[in-house]
Amino acid sequence: MTDRPVILLDVDGVLNACPHRDPEKVGFTDFRVKLCDGFKITHSLEMGERLIALDADIVWLTTWENRSNTLIGPLFGWPEFPVLEGGEEWYRPGWWKSTVAEKFIRENPRPFVWIDDDLADAEDNGEIDWVGDVDLPHFGVAPLTTTGLTPLSLAGIELFLWGLTNDR
């Protein structure tokens, strides 16, 4: 087991808010809009810099799947990250991301941060109860779909990761 934490990262509602961001509400002021595969992606380079600077590995967990490496990551100048794909889980009952995330975390046990705008609803629906059963430090961030990830949310993630490093 590696001690290095992993970040499970979604795109829409996290890196790209829907509808598009209002800088006065989210705190980032460097937004750019790019058309990716027919979708407007409103993104902040400052947000991208703060995410890539975190002391954690990033893994895509998004409906964009492999397109996250070819279309989304390049907007931030990021290298390719591993992608967790839905596969057959897309067609089974329940939230496919929860099943895929659980399998990944159980096979790769280490502290994790999960950033997805659907996390709060999934928790309310009992779809991520497994998170409480794993004996690993974890931190979930469920941004509002209309604001996406904010500087305050990033500060919480940074504090969580800092605590992991300083508790060793």
Side-chain angles (χ1 to χ4, degrees):
M1 174 179 123
T2 177
D3 288 336
R4 187 165 164 84
V6 64
I7 296 172
L8 306 176
L9 185 61
D10 185 26
V11 173
D12 292 321
V14 175
L15 302 178
N16 178 41
C18 309
H20 306 291
R21 299 175 189 268
D22 178 351
E24 291 178 13
K25 293 182 181 175
V26 298
F28 293 110
T29 58
D30 67 331
F31 292 103
R32 299 172 180 210
V33 178
K34 175 89 175 180
L35 199 60
C36 292
D37 209 20
F39 296 95
K40 275 187 181 179
I41 304 295
T42 305
H43 60 288
S44 162
L45 295 180
E46 178 186 350
M47 179 200 314
E49 289 169 3
R50 284 183 65 183
L51 277 166
I52 197 72
L54 294 172
D55 188 16
D57 297 326
I58 295 176
V59 173
W60 293 112
L61 181 56
T62 171
T63 55
W64 286 80
E65 292 189 321
N66 286 313
R67 295 177 304 151
S68 55
N69 274 323
T70 58
L71 297 172
I72 305 301
L75 297 175
F76 298 99
W78 291 347
E80 288 194 2
F81 301 130
V83 177
L84 299 180
E85 296 181 340
E88 292 188 20
E89 295 308 321
W90 279 82
Y91 308 104
R92 294 190 177 142
W95 190 36
W96 73 271
K97 288 184 186 180
S98 178
T99 305
V100 170
E102 179 180 14
K103 182 177 188 241
F104 176 79
I105 293 299
R106 291 193 187 276
E107 291 175 356
N108 304 278
R110 54 184 166 155
F112 64 98
V113 175
W114 191 352
I115 311 171
D116 195 300
D117 60 311
D118 291 323
L119 273 181
D121 287 339
E123 183 175 23
D124 290 346
N125 295 331
E127 293 177 312
I128 58 171
D129 289 347
W130 64 268
V131 171
D133 296 334
V134 295
D135 189 24
L136 296 166
H138 59 274
F139 187 69
V141 179
L144 295 174
T145 302
T146 55
T147 62
L149 196 58
T150 65
L152 185 59
S153 295
L154 272 165
I157 295 166
E158 291 163 345
L159 185 60
F160 170 77
L161 293 172
W162 178 86
L164 292 174
T165 302
N166 290 292
D167 284 346
R168 291 183 196 161

